[in-house]
Structures are given as C-alpha cells and as structure tokens.
Amino acid sequence: MSTEFGWWNKDDEGRKFQVVADVHGGAVTWTRKQGHHAPWETHPPSPDDWDRLIEEAQRRVPRRLLSPKQFAVIERLRDAAR
C-alpha cells in the first residue's frame, strides 16, 4: 500500500517548495517541486525532512489512516538512512 506525505519548506533564499515523500513497498521516494508549472525533481532528504515525515506519520496512526505496522516501516527506513 502506497502512502503519500507532503508539506512545504523554504530554501536558504526564502523561496517555498513542496516536498512529497511516497512510502511504498518498504522504500521511500522523495520529490520536490517549486512553482506551479515546474516539474517534480528528486529531493535528497535532510534530517529535518525525516523528522517531519515521522511527525506526519505519528498524526495519522491515532486516526487509523496509517497502521502501527506501516509506521514501524517508516521508522526503520529513517534508521537505515542515518
């Protein structure tokens, strides 16, 4: 089951860009987009991005939008990325 998480960040120059983390099959794909007509490009995740992904996932578990098993997979992916 694929689960998509998205949020907005700002770069060093203060410009906003959208970050999407797609978790599917025990892997996570990070993409980003800056501007409405800009294409999606690969985004190398920072430790802050991983923390934000964990926060977003934690919010979904109590509402049963994400199972505890799926949350554990996301945590393992973060630990493997460190």
Side-chain angles (χ1 to χ4, degrees):
M1 180 176 168
S2 178
T3 307
E4 186 174 285
F5 300 88
W7 59 87
W8 290 88
N9 278 348
K10 286 190 177 182
D11 61 8
D12 296 335
E13 298 169 6
R15 297 179 302 193
K16 288 174 60 174
F17 61 93
Q18 186 177 5
V19 175
V20 172
D22 187 25
V23 180
H24 181 72
V28 62
T29 305
W30 295 86
T31 54
R32 69 182 273 171
K33 179 178 174 181
Q34 188 168 3
H36 183 68
H37 298 288
W40 288 97
E41 55 190 45
T42 304
H43 176 69
S46 68
D48 291 336
D49 289 328
W50 279 105
D51 291 342
R52 181 71 185 262
L53 176 61
I54 295 295
E55 289 173 16
E56 294 290 331
Q58 283 175 337
R59 283 190 218 137
R60 294 183 187 192
V61 172
R63 297 182 294 165
R64 296 185 182 182
L65 299 174
L66 191 70
S67 72
K69 185 177 179 181
Q70 291 170 315
F71 181 72
V73 168
I74 294 171
E75 285 185 316
R76 277 195 306 255
L77 289 170
R78 179 188 60 176
D79 293 340
R82 287 184 180 174

